């Protein structure tokens, strides 16, 4: 449970997907998944190279800073050998901030919503009571995912100008 200690990502199985906890070895497969510049249209940045992704995954697997956070990362897979994206959760106390990416070849098929809904449900079962996500203005795909998970716009905007979406998991939807 979230109140009793640090959460650790576990394998999650959805109807069409398997979400596996991130490992350093995933960098080799994920560099191909993340190599499409279109994935960065709303978030900025550019596709990472293999060494950059290995360094990023090392930081993510080793754990967060500042203290008081837990980083949970899953690779979204259609099969054990076909990664198509990821879902992340930054957990503090009984809250989690979610982020998701699915490769452009697999967008508009409900995979991001299915994967993120699976993570959101698992987090709720672990005692996480509030979920948030930051969505760039005009990013209709991420708005659909947030809505599909049950989130609603909060009316608040973060420092990057992104709309903060939220869901109170302790209340019926």
């Amino acid at each position: 449970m979230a109140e009793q200690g640090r959460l650790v990502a576990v394998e999650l199985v959805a109807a069409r997907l398997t979400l596996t906890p991130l490992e350093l070895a995933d960098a080799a497969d994920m560099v191909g998944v993340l190599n499409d510049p279109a994935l960065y249209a709303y978030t900025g940045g550019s596709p990472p190279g293999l060494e950059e992704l290995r360094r990023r995954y090392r930081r993510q697997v080793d754990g967060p800073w500042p203290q008081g956070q837990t980083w949970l990362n899953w690779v979204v897979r259609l099969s054990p050998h076909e990664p198509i994206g990821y879902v992340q959760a930054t957990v503090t106390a009984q809250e989690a901030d979610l982020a998701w990416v699915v490769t452009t070849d697999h967008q508009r098929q409900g995979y991001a919503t299915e994967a993120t809904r699976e993570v959101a449900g698992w987090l709720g079962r672990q005692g996480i009571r509030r979920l948030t996500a930051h969505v760039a203005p005009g990013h209709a795909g991420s708005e659909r995912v947030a809505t599909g998970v049950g989130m609603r716009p909060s009316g608040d905007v973060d420092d990057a100008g992104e709309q903060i979406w939220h869901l109170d998991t302790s209340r019926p939807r």
Side-chain angles (χ1 to χ4, degrees):
M1 298 293 289
E3 303 91 3
Q4 297 170 344
R6 186 171 170 258
L7 289 177
V8 176
V10 298
E11 182 173 286
L12 302 172
V13 179
R16 302 176 294 165
L17 305 168
T18 301
L19 287 77
T20 58
L22 179 69
E23 297 178 356
L24 293 175
D26 290 323
D29 289 335
M30 290 299 291
V31 74
V33 171
L34 301 174
N35 71 352
D36 184 350
L39 291 175
Y40 307 89
Y42 290 97
T43 60
S46 60
L50 180 57
E51 288 310 312
E52 179 184 350
L53 198 56
R54 284 181 176 151
R55 286 190 301 273
R56 180 184 307 167
Y57 285 1
R58 166 57 66 199
R59 287 188 308 271
Q60 290 175 337
V61 169
D62 284 350
W65 71 272
Q67 293 295 332
Q69 290 185 351
T70 300
W71 292 347
L72 304 174
N73 298 278
W74 289 267
V75 175
V76 178
R77 298 176 182 277
L78 279 175
S79 72
H81 303 292
E82 188 178 0
I84 63 167
Y86 64 82
V87 177
Q88 299 176 319
T90 301
V91 180
T92 55
Q94 292 182 339
E95 297 186 14
D97 191 54
L98 301 177
W100 51 84
V101 170
V102 168
T103 185
T104 52
D105 291 345
H106 293 91
Q107 291 177 2
R108 297 185 171 272
Q109 297 174 54
Y111 293 127
T113 300
E114 183 176 339
T116 306
R117 188 181 297 137
E118 190 67 29
V119 168
W122 181 81
L123 289 166
R125 291 188 299 276
Q126 306 313 306
I128 302 302
R129 295 291 157 233
R130 181 173 169 81
L131 302 176
T132 58
H134 300 244
V135 177
H139 196 316
S142 282
E143 290 175 354
R144 283 191 298 275
V145 173
T147 300
V149 172
M151 293 182 174
R152 300 288 175 251
S154 68
D156 296 326
V157 177
D158 67 15
D159 293 340
E162 295 183 330
Q163 172 72 236
I164 300 173
W165 290 61
H166 66 97
L167 171 64
D168 181 348
T169 61
S170 64
R171 292 184 184 165
R173 291 184 225 172

